[in-house]
Amino acid sequence: MLTTDASILFQIAGIGIIVALIHTILKQMGKEEIAQFATLIGFIIVLVVVVNGLSDLFQQIRSVFLFQG
């Protein structure tokens, strides 16, 4: 369980680093609107990863408490 938590954190950090790099490059090129759009897309991707992680967590909690038989 710890490895999946760590991998999700590393995925989010990796996406953040890549998005920050793309944002910086585009902003220096003078394409600030596209840089903001890239940042928004990165945020949406991270949000999807977090929601999937929370969904898995709730499924595990539900299986522990509802199916004790």
Side-chain angles (χ1 to χ4, degrees):
M1 178 128 166
L2 182 62
T3 57
T4 56
D5 294 338
S7 70
I8 290 175
L9 290 176
F10 285 128
Q11 278 182 337
I12 292 172
I15 292 169
I17 290 170
I18 291 170
V19 168
L21 191 72
I22 291 171
H23 180 82
T24 303
I25 290 170
L26 288 172
K27 194 168 182 180
Q28 287 181 354
M29 290 174 56
K31 301 189 182 295
E32 294 182 15
E33 294 86 12
I34 299 173
Q36 290 177 350
F37 186 69
T39 303
L40 180 64
I41 295 294
F43 176 74
I44 291 171
I45 291 171
V46 167
L47 193 61
V48 167
V49 169
V50 169
V51 167
N52 284 337
L54 285 175
S55 172
D56 292 341
L57 175 67
F58 286 136
Q59 288 295 335
Q60 289 178 356
I61 290 171
R62 185 178 297 154
S63 69
V64 167
F65 288 113
L66 292 180
F67 298 115
Q68 290 186 356

